[in-house]
Amino acid sequence: MTVSRDEAREVAIVGILIAIALRVGAGVFQLIEEATGAWTTASLAGRFFAPIGSTVGMLTLACVLIVVLSPSGAVSTGVIAAVQKAALAVTALGVGSTLYTLVFSFSDALAKLWFAMINGLAAATLAGTGWWILRNFDPDR
């Protein structure tokens, strides 16, 4: 079995989207595990947002770059729409992770900010950049 360049692009994008879903899904499973014991709302949110960081943001931006750097028509519109939705979702998760860290973390202010910068803010910035690129992308330029 052989794969064309166009098919390889789409397979790569789908693989990366699955990796993003696995990272987010790990947070869901951590939340479920936390909920089986003694928990608080803050502990549940902390477990849910734990996997949201720069890795998820970089994976999201990688999908976007594959889409925009491919020739017109090389990536199907359905895959492009899925990438744009994933970028928006990761941006929202990054913002949520940042707010959780800044509001509910038990660290001092500088530690909270540092942690938010390397995790939620990084994810939100990278994924938000990707979402903005796709939203404003002009394939004819």
Side-chain angles (χ1 to χ4, degrees):
M1 174 182 205
T2 60
V3 176
S4 71
R5 290 183 198 278
D6 291 349
E7 292 167 333
R9 287 182 190 100
E10 292 207 357
V11 169
I13 290 169
V14 169
I16 294 169
L17 289 174
I18 290 170
I20 293 167
L22 289 171
R23 296 285 298 202
V24 173
V28 172
F29 284 125
Q30 286 182 334
L31 180 142
I32 292 168
E33 181 184 13
E34 180 75 12
T36 61
W39 57 272
T40 64
T41 303
S43 72
L44 290 178
R47 297 288 290 227
F48 175 71
F49 288 124
I52 306 302
S54 59
T55 301
V56 175
M58 286 186 280
L59 290 170
T60 306
L61 189 56
C63 283
V64 170
L65 292 176
I66 292 171
V67 167
V68 299
L69 297 176
S70 298
S72 291
V75 179
S76 69
T77 56
V79 170
I80 294 170
V83 170
Q84 190 168 16
K85 289 176 185 173
L88 186 59
V90 171
T91 301
L93 287 169
V95 169
S97 175
T98 300
L99 292 175
Y100 165 78
T101 300
L102 294 175
V103 174
F104 295 109
S105 179
F106 296 111
S107 303
D108 61 357
L110 285 177
K112 286 181 185 183
L113 187 57
W114 169 79
F115 193 78
M117 289 170 71
I118 65 169
N119 289 301
L121 280 173
T125 300
L126 291 165
T129 299
W131 176 81
W132 184 88
I133 288 170
L134 280 178
R135 185 174 155 261
N136 295 299
F137 183 62
D138 181 1
D140 298 325
R141 283 186 60 191

